[in-house]
Amino acid sequence: MKVTVLKLSLHGQLVGYLAGFQNGKNVFSFSEEFKENLSRPTLSLITHPTFPFRII
């Protein structure tokens, strides 16, 4: 099975990894350092089905 991995960072700090599997499943894993840092920058993810498109 083929897996593609994307390393995600925010303001120079490692946030985690997004793994995309051949079967279409995606898994996001936060890094321990990001989870434990109480002064970490805010991360928000848009998951609305029409993003990034707008229906007029």
Side-chain angles (χ1 to χ4, degrees), residues 6 13 23 30 35 44 54:
L6 178 65
Q13 182 181 5
N23 64 2
F30 283 99
K35 288 192 294 187
S44 65
R54 215 169 95 181

Side-chain angles (χ1 to χ4, degrees), residues 8-22:
L8 297 167
S9 60
L10 182 63
H11 302 293
Q13 182 181 5
L14 176 64
V15 174
Y17 298 92
L18 177 63
F21 294 86
Q22 201 171 18

Side-chain angles (χ1 to χ4, degrees), residues 1-6 18-27:
M1 177 183 296
K2 182 179 176 184
V3 179
T4 304
V5 178
L6 178 65
L18 177 63
F21 294 86
Q22 201 171 18
N23 64 2
K25 181 177 180 180
N26 297 309
V27 176

Side-chain angles (χ1 to χ4, degrees), residues 24-40:
K25 181 177 180 180
N26 297 309
V27 176
F28 182 76
S29 297
F30 283 99
S31 72
E32 289 299 318
E33 66 184 73
F34 188 80
K35 288 192 294 187
E36 294 173 3
N37 181 356
L38 299 180
S39 62
R40 65 186 172 258

Side-chain angles (χ1 to χ4, degrees), residues 35-52:
K35 288 192 294 187
E36 294 173 3
N37 181 356
L38 299 180
S39 62
R40 65 186 172 258
T42 301
L43 173 71
S44 65
L45 301 172
I46 297 173
T47 58
H48 193 275
T50 61
F51 181 80

